[in-house]
Amino acid sequence: MPSHATPAPQSPPPGPVIAGLLLAAGGGRRLGGHPKALLAHHGRPLVENAVRVLREAGCGPLHVVLGASAAEVRERADLTGCVVVDNPDWAQGMGSSLRVGLASLAGTGADAALVSLVDQPGIGPAAVARVREAYRSPASLVAAAYGGERGHPVLFGADRWADIAATATGDKGARVHLTEHADELTLVECGDVAEPFDIDTPPDLARLA
């Protein structure tokens, strides 16, 4: 009797690769010069919390941009599994860190970068996952919203990286690109699952556990 080979089960098509890009270079000027990445949160450096949030939300690979006290952050924080890159021009503002981070993702095959900030511990995996799941194509442009107002994290499809890097200067980050392409931006309401406060000044430290 003829034998019939059982066809091998087909794997489902792989999903998009959404890299997590954590900007953690700030020097904490208004915090007395204490690097934000090393602020204590639940007994560990704040940067570890931000990495955990990205990982639990399904982002990967994970790239972390350091700047102020980068050597000390590398020594004290557990960044296992992350690609850690230094921004020597971190004092020029967030824009330089965004450029360095996007450049580090070139060649990784990532379809998009989900960008988060180290000093927003009130934004957890639930909000990040919502933004991640709004990805549709390499042209995607997505941001979390709080009460309808744009905030972080933000997601940039790979087709947008070059333009964002070209316009990211000073502390503007991606604001120029977001403003110029506001009609293409998808806002994902996250106010019910996250609080978008920043740790910027000494009174803000009370928000850290």
Side-chain angles (χ1 to χ4, degrees), residues 58-140:
C59 297
L62 302 180
H63 285 219
V64 180
V65 180
L66 301 180
S69 302
E72 185 179 359
V73 176
R74 287 173 182 269
E75 180 180 339
R76 291 177 49 190
D78 181 1
L79 300 176
T80 303
C82 298
V83 174
V84 182
V85 293
D86 291 345
N87 174 18
D89 301 318
W90 63 269
Q92 294 181 8
M94 187 192 307
S96 63
S97 291
L98 181 56
R99 292 196 305 272
V100 167
L102 291 175
S104 76
L105 289 171
T108 63
D111 298 295
L114 191 148
V115 182
S116 67
L117 308 180
V118 73
D119 65 344
Q120 294 189 317
I123 299 176
V128 176
R130 282 187 188 179
V131 174
R132 178 185 177 277
E133 289 162 6
Y135 171 87
R136 294 294 178 268
S137 78
S140 287

Side-chain angles (χ1 to χ4, degrees), residues 7-13:
Q10 291 188 340
S11 300

Side-chain angles (χ1 to χ4, degrees), residues 163-189:
D163 184 62
I164 290 170
T167 57
T169 59
D171 276 322
K172 294 178 181 178
R175 271 180 282 180
V176 172
H177 186 88
L178 288 164
T179 299
E180 291 180 347
H181 299 273
D183 57 336
E184 302 164 40
L185 175 65
T186 298
L187 290 177
V188 179
E189 182 58 45

